[in-house]
Amino acid sequence: MPGETWERLREAAVEAMGHAYAPYSDYSVGVAGLTDDGRVVVGCNVENASYGLTLCAECAMVSNLHLGGGGKLTHVYCVNASGEPIMPCGRCRQLLWEHGSPATELMTDEGVLTMAQVLPKSWGFE
């Protein structure tokens, strides 16, 4: 994928991160994903006083994916409050695999990795 598309996703993720609700951890997260039909979907984290009920940014993005017509994620970029790429938690890696594919590309602090690389031997349809 061309660098300008990754930059477009990073910018969308940073914008989404600006809407995060993180009063307990002060750790805002934004995410943007490219779909197989070319749409960009976004999400941000929303914390809860009952910390286990916190909604990760990736969960919000997948919800927006389905609200916008569904499809599959092909590329994903998650950022922290500094706009740096971060690795999704294990739950969200499974979510991205299921709503993408083993070949879905994820920007990480180590560069671009596929979901098969960041979540080997996952559960799913593939």
Side-chain angles (χ1 to χ4, degrees), residues 7-8 13 15 20 24-26 28-29 32 41 48 51 64 74 76 83 98 104 108 112 115 126:
E7 182 58 24
R8 182 174 141 218
E15 183 178 341
Y24 305 103
S25 71
D26 197 34
S28 296
V29 176
V41 291
N48 186 288
Y51 203 68
N64 283 330
T74 61
V76 177
E98 189 161 333
T104 296
T108 75
V112 177
M115 288 309 302
E126 301 282 330

Side-chain angles (χ1 to χ4, degrees), residues 43-74:
C44 65
N45 62 319
V46 177
E47 292 182 349
N48 186 288
S50 175
Y51 203 68
L53 297 178
T54 292
L55 178 66
C56 293
E58 298 86 348
C59 296
M61 179 186 65
V62 167
S63 180
N64 283 330
L65 170 71
H66 288 279
L67 282 169
K72 291 286 188 180
L73 296 166
T74 61

Side-chain angles (χ1 to χ4, degrees), residues 79-103:
V79 299
N80 61 18
S82 299
E84 300 165 336
I86 57 173
M87 184 64 73
C89 70
R91 174 181 80 164
C92 289
R93 291 181 202 188
Q94 180 63 42
L95 191 69
L96 295 176
W97 175 289
E98 189 161 333
H99 298 277
S101 76

